[in-house]
Amino acid sequence: MQLNYGQNKKCGYEWGKEVEVSRYSNLLDPISIGKVELKNRFVMLPMTIEKVDNYHVGDDLVDFYEQRAKGGLGLIEIGSCYVSDCFNTTPKYHTTTGACGAWDDEFIPGYKRIADSCHQYGAKVAAQLQLCYEWRASGEDEMHSYAPSADVMSGPFVGMPEFELTVEQIRMIVKQYGQAALRCKKAGVDIIEIHAGIGYMVMRFLSKYSNHRTDEYGGDERGRAKLLTDIVDEIHSTCGADMPIIVRISADDLMPGGNRIEDTLKIIPIVEEHGVDAWSVQAGFHEAPRPVANALVPEGEFIDLAKQVKTVTSLPVFPGTRITGLEMCEKVISEGYGDLVGMGRSFIADPDIPNKVADGHPELVRSCIVCSRCLDNIFIGKPCQCSVNANVMHSDLGLPEDKPAEEKKHIVIVGAGPAGLEAVRVAAIRGHKVTVIDHSDRIGGLLNMAQVLNEKIENYVSYWQNEMKRFDNVTFMLKTEATADLIKSLNPDEVFVAPGGGVIDFDFPGRDSKYVVSSQDIKDMVSGKVPEGKGLLWRAAVSAIKAQGGTVGFMRMGLNMASGPTAVVGKRLLVVGGGFAGLETAGAMNSNREITVIDTAKKLGNGIGIIDKNPEIAKLKKEGVRLLPLTELVEVSKKGVATIRNVETGETENLEVDTVLLSLGVQANTDLFDSIKADFPQAKLLGDATTPDGKVFRTLEAVEGGFVAAMAV
């Protein structure tokens, strides 16, 4: 089967402008913050993306923000502009090391570079002034952790604060904020934002949870807000009354005994007496018992906080916690939840969202999949990464549209999963001719199964389907097995092999039992194939999927059926594998089932990052999933009894099961590559097929491999 996507269509966003613009037209309306006019309602929220050189702005950070300005953003906020001297220190809170310094005039040129590069595309720039948990008065002093009250634990990695701030020290901090704001103004920054949320220093003063002071900086709302209002006054003093100020606040800090929205509604008017220009509304502390940013949090969970803030202010308000897609952005504006809409990770994933909306092609937006891989790095002081945008990790390689190939080649790519598709995208944009071979009847590879288990992948699969239609220099050969002879007949200049990882399996008594299902079986079923060795039940399930057109919703419903004529996964389910794949499977299938997850590892969650691991495990436990580390599968009897054994004690247990699902992830897969490499020694192996032993490769590693390989041709 041969398909040529994108006939008579240009490789760009300008083709086919139709009615889609009006669908999100509210997002394109201009608005002002103070005297600064923004061209649209899109705000890139401040994030500490760890792209600094010893607190200095360098080429990498300038390029990062310039890309987003070029992509059409109305306002770009520079994350974590630190007001206190951090030179030659080792902060306990790792994220501090990735901040942009703002405590000395030597940082002004870096901010000017960001402002100038963004202004040329019509974007305005805000600098978010920041003080986390650690502070010193000057570079001559030692850095220590401080707090409004020394009896309350500080944020992540910090422990109990070493000191409680004195009034004299608070006044020093206020001066530092004022001087930092003045430096940003001198650099051409348009707006100052004060970070008064998520449990950092200013929020710790605002919150009843962390502020137990009895002096002028504690007590009622006015006292707890005094640090913030003093900072606002100081910025007006140093920068003038015309310098717009945004306050980013956690309207509900989600801490026991902390601030609720009712407290915030009292604080807002107090702060406005001192002259601010907009409110950025978020939720939580970093250490809050309730997660706020990961995939377990429903999209739009906290937008009503902004709507409530709007009841006590006439200033622009925008929510900025757990907003991902354009539908939610439109809802925020059209239904009055906010006047602008703030996103961080979505603009990391796709810098061009505003332009794609303006050009009438929202279907080409590369959606954030809310995997938290960016936050996993940032939170421990490592440079930002992104599962769907490899340029974030490899800005030194540039963008494909800026690096046309000097010599146009014919590239054959085996495999249409995320690694192969990213290689297709990059190579096609650079001007190469590309032929893609895949045995499936659709593109996407493992993403097609992943979107059934995880609905947040569904938009990403749709993105790839639409993105591939842009190119008239790409040919897809689907339902086609790749062989060396076929590839030779295509006469390629380069060959990339991205066949996907090999599904990890193992042998045990009862492996061939009707009760045992592997993730390969599920993968085959989702792709419309009857798994090898499976009988009538599986044929019926595959036929039902095909009859429904293979829709994701139908397949998701089918996997959640624990009984019935086409239920391939029964009610009593034993999942073998407690890493990323196994826990995701348990979470996706935990509807009307009794689930046990086992793994030989001492700790579950291999392959899940620091942001998601503990919340995911806690959620499964709360839902009644039985989680057993240090446990192996011994055998499965003909009567549906699984014997499991603790690998330390040797103690065994028998479980009556309807299904044993092997979900151990994937491993290196080089068989096809080795057969091709014999004829094409320069062939490159990409994606999950390169997974090292003991490691878990996910979308990020696949996309990164495709990007790097195609940029090198």
Side-chain angles (χ1 to χ4, degrees):
M1 179 180 182
Q2 191 163 304
L3 299 174
N4 196 336
Y5 284 11
Q7 290 181 342
N8 302 318
K9 292 176 179 176
K10 297 179 182 179
C11 177
Y13 305 134
E14 70 273 16
W15 52 263
K17 293 184 182 179
E18 287 124 8
V19 298
E20 289 290 348
V21 174
S22 61
R23 184 178 174 192
Y24 303 112
S25 59
N26 290 319
L27 299 170
L28 303 175
D29 291 339
I31 190 172
S32 293
I33 294 179
K35 293 186 177 180
V36 174
E37 183 173 304
L38 311 179
K39 63 182 179 181
N40 57 44
R41 305 301 177 98
F42 288 110
V43 180
M44 168 91 191
L45 294 175
M47 296 182 70
T48 313
I49 59 170
E50 304 284 342
K51 286 178 172 285
V52 292
D53 181 8
N54 193 24
Y55 301 101
H56 287 81
V57 171
D59 293 345
D60 197 7
L61 192 60
V62 173
D63 175 71
F64 178 85
Y65 286 123
E66 183 174 332
Q67 281 190 41
R68 278 115 195 114
K70 189 176 181 179
L73 272 159
L75 177 62
I76 293 173
E77 298 191 300
I78 306 170
S80 291
C81 305
Y82 220 75
V83 303
S84 170
D85 190 328
C86 295
F87 277 148
N88 302 311
T89 65
T90 306
K92 295 177 184 178
Y93 184 59
H94 309 304
T95 309
T96 302
T97 60
C100 300
W103 63 80
D104 192 278
D105 287 354
E106 69 181 78
F107 298 113
I108 294 175
Y111 287 107
K112 187 175 189 306
R113 288 187 64 196
I114 293 176
D116 289 348
S117 65
C118 292
H119 287 161
Q120 66 178 318
Y121 298 105
K124 303 301 183 183
V125 177
Q128 183 196 61
L129 302 187
Q130 174 69 294
L131 182 62
C132 296
Y133 312 107
E134 296 158 278
W135 173 81
R136 60 181 178 175
S138 73
E140 305 301 317
D141 302 300
E142 290 187 11
M143 177 176 276
H144 293 286
S145 57
Y146 287 86
S149 301
D151 61 334
V152 181
M153 183 81 72
S154 285
F157 313 112
V158 179
M160 293 300 293
E162 296 169 275
F163 297 101
E164 184 172 297
L165 285 164
T166 66
V167 171
E168 181 182 3
Q169 289 170 330
I170 292 171
R171 289 170 181 165
M172 291 180 188
I173 289 172
V174 170
K175 292 292 184 184
Q176 289 177 338
Y177 270 90
Q179 290 303 306
L182 180 59
R183 293 182 187 106
C184 293
K185 179 181 180 180
K186 289 180 177 178
V189 169
D190 304 287
I191 297 171
I192 299 297
E193 179 172 282
I194 303 168
H195 198 338
I198 214 67
Y200 291 138
M201 192 66 75
V202 177
M203 186 67 211
R204 298 193 92 77
F205 273 82
L206 288 172
S207 176
K208 294 182 294 186
Y209 161 77
S210 47
N211 186 345
H212 302 158
R213 300 174 74 99
T214 57
D215 62 9
E216 60 188 301
Y217 289 95
D220 62 9
E221 289 82 12
R222 190 170 293 274
R224 299 199 312 276
K226 183 169 171 52
L227 172 59
L228 175 56
T229 57
D230 283 359
I231 290 170
V232 171
D233 290 343
E234 186 67 18
I235 292 173
H236 286 316
S237 175
T238 58
C239 297
D242 288 345
M243 188 66 177
I245 297 174
I246 299 172
V247 176
R248 182 156 169 79
I249 190 171
S250 288
D252 186 325
D253 62 38
L254 304 178
M255 297 300 289
N259 284 7
R260 304 285 82 86
I261 182 63
E262 294 79 14
D263 301 290
T264 301
L265 297 184
K266 296 175 184 176
I267 289 170
I268 297 288
I270 292 170
V271 178
E272 288 192 3
E273 292 172 9
H274 296 258
V276 297
D277 299 275
W279 292 93
S280 174
V281 178
Q282 59 181 161
F285 272 38
H286 276 307
E287 64 268 34
R290 177 181 172 188
V292 297
N294 65 24
L296 299 179
V297 181
E299 186 180 12
E301 176 80 351
F302 301 108
I303 62 173
D304 191 62
L305 293 174
K307 194 170 191 176
Q308 292 188 63
V309 167
K310 284 177 64 63
T311 65
V312 296
T313 181
S314 60
L315 298 175
V317 174
F318 54 99
T321 298
R322 193 53 191 90
I323 298 172
T324 302
L326 289 173
E327 292 297 331
M328 186 58 64
C329 292
E330 174 63 23
K331 177 177 179 176
V332 166
I333 304 300
S334 64
E335 298 184 21
Y337 289 93
D339 304 290
L340 306 94
V341 61
M343 298 188 293
R345 289 174 290 180
S346 289
F347 292 122
I348 292 176
D350 191 340
D352 298 317
I353 293 174
N355 281 349
K356 289 177 179 179
V357 171
D359 289 342
H361 284 290
E363 79 282 359
L364 293 177
V365 168
R366 182 173 56 217
S367 297
C368 169
I369 59 175
V370 202
C371 64
S372 297
R373 298 291 297 273
C374 53
L375 299 180
D376 287 336
N377 263 22
I378 290 168
F379 210 57
I380 58 173
K382 292 184 178 181
C384 183
Q385 55 185 1
C386 181
S387 288
V388 301
N389 183 1
N391 174 261
V392 173
M393 301 95 84
H394 295 283
S395 63
D396 58 308
L397 299 181
L399 295 167
E401 48 265 40
D402 297 330
K403 299 281 180 127
E406 295 180 6
E407 177 188 356
K408 304 295 191 296
K409 295 182 176 181
H410 178 205
I411 303 174
V412 168
I413 298 177
V414 179
L421 291 175
E422 176 68 0
V424 172
R425 183 188 75 86
V426 173
I429 290 173
R430 296 186 64 217
H432 296 297
K433 176 184 175 183
V434 184
T435 301
V436 188
I437 306 171
D438 196 285
H439 62 82
S440 178
D441 63 352
R442 70 198 73 178
I443 66 173
L446 274 176
L447 292 175
N448 288 306
M449 181 173 74
Q451 69 176 333
V452 177
L453 298 174
N454 180 356
E455 62 183 12
K456 295 171 183 65
I457 303 293
E458 195 170 349
N459 283 339
Y460 187 47
V461 175
S462 296
Y463 156 76
W464 278 121
Q465 293 167 344
N466 290 311
E467 179 73 4
M468 290 299 103
K469 296 175 184 178
R470 292 207 292 136
F471 306 114
D472 57 11
N473 54 339
V474 177
T475 299
F476 281 84
M477 300 175 66
L478 302 180
K479 291 187 178 179
T480 303
E481 295 296 332
T483 64
D485 287 340
L486 173 60
I487 295 171
K488 280 191 285 187
S489 73
L490 296 172
N491 193 29
D493 300 300
E494 301 278 350
V495 178
F496 297 161
V497 184
V503 173
I504 299 175
D505 206 335
F506 70 106
D507 196 23
F508 54 89
R511 172 64 184 86
D512 295 331
S513 165
K514 66 179 181 179
Y515 299 101
V516 179
V517 174
S518 75
S519 54
Q520 181 66 50
D521 297 330
I522 302 295
K523 177 184 174 184
D524 288 343
M525 183 186 72
V526 167
S527 64
K529 295 167 54 179
V530 177
E532 184 177 351
K534 297 299 180 183
L536 182 61
L537 179 65
W538 288 79
R539 290 192 182 91
V542 170
S543 296
I545 289 171
K546 289 183 176 180
Q548 291 291 323
T551 62
V552 176
F554 181 79
M555 288 187 284
R556 193 174 292 140
M557 179 188 71
L559 284 182
N560 279 320
M561 288 174 57
S563 61
T566 59
V568 296
V569 178
K571 182 178 181 63
R572 296 171 298 180
L573 172 63
L574 173 64
V575 178
V576 181
F580 168 75
L583 293 185
E584 183 176 58
T585 299
M589 295 186 176
N590 190 27
S591 176
N592 195 32
R593 283 194 176 93
E594 302 166 10
I595 299 183
T596 299
V597 179
I598 65 172
D599 198 292
T600 57
K602 188 174 183 179
K603 293 184 178 181
L604 303 184
N606 183 32
I608 305 178
I610 187 174
I611 299 298
D612 286 346
K613 182 182 292 185
N614 288 338
E616 180 65 32
I617 290 173
K619 174 178 178 288
L620 291 174
K621 287 180 177 178
K622 185 178 180 180
E623 292 176 348
V625 175
R626 190 180 179 208
L627 302 176
L628 301 178
L630 293 170
T631 304
E632 64 182 350
L633 176 64
V634 178
E635 66 175 333
V636 178
S637 75
K638 294 180 179 179
K639 294 185 177 181
V641 176
T643 301
I644 60 177
R645 178 169 56 209
N646 184 287
V647 298
E648 287 190 334
T649 67
E651 183 180 353
T652 62
E653 179 183 350
N654 292 327
L655 300 176
E656 292 186 1
V657 296
D658 298 306
T659 304
V660 175
L661 177 57
L662 307 181
S663 189
L664 297 159
V666 299
Q667 60 189 351
N669 174 21
T670 64
D671 291 346
L672 177 60
F673 175 69
D674 291 340
S675 69
I676 292 172
K677 194 172 176 64
D679 293 293
F680 298 94
Q682 301 305 315
K684 297 179 179 64
L685 184 65
L686 309 177
D688 291 351
T690 66
T691 303
D693 288 345
K695 297 290 185 180
V696 176
F697 274 12
R698 293 163 59 184
T699 304
L700 183 147
E701 289 79 11
V703 170
E704 180 182 19
F707 180 86
V708 172
M711 287 297 291
V713 178

